[in-house]
Amino acid sequence: MKYYLVAGEASGDLHGANLMKALKAEDGEAVFRYFGGDKMEAEGGALVKHYADMAFMGFTEVVLNLRTIFKNLKACKEDLIQWKPDVLILIDFPGFNLKIAEFAKANGIKVCYYISPKVWAWNQKRVLKIKKVVDHMFCILPFEVDFYREWGMAVDYVGNPLLDEIAQFTPDLNFRRNQQLGDEKIIALLPGSRKQEIERLLPVMLSITEHFPGYTFAIAAAPNFTETYYHQFIGAKKVKLLFNNTYNLLHHAHAAVVASGTATLETALFKVPQVVVYKGGTISIAIARLLVKIKFISLVNLIVNKKIVTELIQEDCNTKKVNEELKMITEGAGRDTMLKHYDELLLLMGQPGASAKTARLIVENLEK
């Protein structure tokens, strides 16, 4: 079978790569073409567009980059028609992917959606469009099944693909020595993979380093940026910069400051106490506060449906508050409480196997 995948950011590239691996196990003659990143490219097939040219964050940034977005949409549509896949597999990234789903459906291409758009967060009526343009939806958050059911749509809950990735991870026993990290406790900084979020969050993260003299700070760097790019923020600070080593960093980290997104869940699954931070454009945040209907922004809190990790959003994302919250989880009762809540999260998440289950369901549906 011919599989066309579209992933528009780093997390989608990770999940797309795992799904491709699982699809190859189900279909020995699988052929791939995709919008994605380095991890998907390592699984074979043809990379059409890298996510680094696609990921724009927030209302203002999207508006400023509309020409590029429309160009990418046009390229994807034309490529789909030319290649004629047996199935289109869309991974998260709803602003782009729902438009591609509508186009593909109109042109007789079967559409599978892996990792549901967060329609439960805002503009819930988008489910009505999803019902029309998506043939099969595969969800990775338990509460999404009930949400879709309320709108009359049956979906498959497949578990969470992060569990697959972490289960496959083998820690580097020489990590500290290889990265010259010494014996001090490590505080991990995960500022995200998008240019806008790095530029807004990393300076705040770095501003707290002087308040933790007994710790080593290390940045989980996104592979789509260079050392030179990060060093403009780091300057003379004694902070380690680590590429392609996020899981080794989390495995060894004592605590972390994390950009809101998939990384908050990864950090929790590694049982690393964390402070979650987020900053968007002024207009984007104002619109979000009017539209968004959820109590939390981090996946950790959303899944358990209560506050486990502190979320410092917009004006609260500042040196003073990040410093205060981080000190509360490096030692003492605050740290113990968060680790206890992580156990609750792990029970809700269940077992690995999301990629394999999704691949099996896709292939079974294609064979019908």
Side-chain angles (χ1 to χ4, degrees), residues 4-240:
Y4 201 110
L5 296 88
V6 182
E9 50 202 340
S11 61
D13 178 37
L14 170 67
H15 302 321
N18 277 336
L19 182 58
M20 288 167 68
K21 191 180 299 180
L23 284 167
K24 286 187 285 187
E26 293 286 336
D27 177 2
E29 297 182 2
V31 181
F32 301 103
R33 193 169 176 85
Y34 44 87
F35 280 41
D38 299 342
K39 288 181 169 60
M40 291 172 72
E41 191 169 24
E43 291 299 324
L47 174 64
V48 181
K49 176 74 67 174
H50 199 286
Y51 71 78
D53 301 321
M54 299 173 65
F56 301 107
M57 181 180 164
F59 178 81
T60 308
E61 291 77 11
V62 168
V63 170
L64 292 173
N65 290 281
L66 275 176
R67 180 175 293 183
T68 300
I69 293 168
F70 285 130
K71 184 179 177 182
N72 289 339
L73 281 166
K74 184 171 184 283
C76 188
K77 291 174 181 178
E78 290 175 351
D79 202 48
L80 277 169
I81 294 301
Q82 184 176 354
W83 200 58
K84 298 182 176 66
D86 293 292
V87 62
L88 169 67
I89 303 170
L90 304 168
I91 303 171
D92 203 358
F93 204 52
F96 188 93
N97 275 340
L98 286 176
K99 292 179 177 64
I100 295 300
E102 187 173 16
F103 174 83
K105 186 70 173 177
N107 284 275
I109 299 170
K110 186 167 285 191
V111 180
C112 290
Y113 213 119
Y114 180 45
I115 305 178
S116 166
K118 297 175 180 62
V119 286
W120 34 266
W122 69 281
N123 192 10
Q124 295 184 355
K125 288 185 178 179
R126 286 181 296 169
V127 176
L128 300 176
K129 178 179 180 179
I130 290 171
K131 287 173 68 173
K132 291 179 182 177
V133 302
V134 173
D135 295 297
H136 298 282
M137 174 68 76
F138 304 105
C139 295
I140 65 168
L141 299 172
F143 62 82
E144 291 176 329
V145 177
D146 290 335
F147 169 79
Y148 276 104
R149 188 182 293 124
E150 289 174 3
W151 286 86
M153 183 177 177
V155 301
D156 288 295
Y157 174 64
V158 293
N160 198 289
L162 285 179
L163 293 169
D164 297 19
E165 185 69 13
I166 292 171
Q168 295 165 15
F169 167 68
T170 302
D172 178 1
L173 298 178
N174 299 311
F175 174 70
R176 280 183 175 271
R177 185 177 66 191
N178 291 342
Q179 301 298 329
Q180 300 178 324
L181 287 166
D183 297 323
E184 290 182 336
K185 291 178 180 177
I186 297 169
I187 295 177
L189 304 178
L190 283 72
S193 60
R194 294 167 171 163
K195 188 171 184 286
Q196 293 99 331
E197 61 185 346
I198 293 170
E199 292 178 357
R200 288 178 179 138
L201 297 176
L202 189 53
V204 178
M205 291 180 175
L206 291 169
S207 70
I208 65 168
T209 57
E210 63 192 49
H211 299 286
F212 293 84
Y215 292 84
T216 294
F217 282 80
I219 299 169
N224 46 308
F225 295 99
T226 64
E227 285 190 31
T228 302
Y229 174 78
Y230 283 99
H231 279 296
Q232 68 179 307
F233 304 106
I234 296 170
K237 292 182 183 294
K238 293 180 179 179
V239 177
K240 292 288 183 179

Side-chain angles (χ1 to χ4, degrees), residues 274-277 298 301 307-312 325 338:
Q274 63 183 301
V275 178
V276 176
V277 294
S298 68
N301 292 342
K307 181 186 172 183
I308 291 179
V309 299
T310 297
E311 302 171 350
L312 298 177
E325 294 296 334
M338 190 175 294

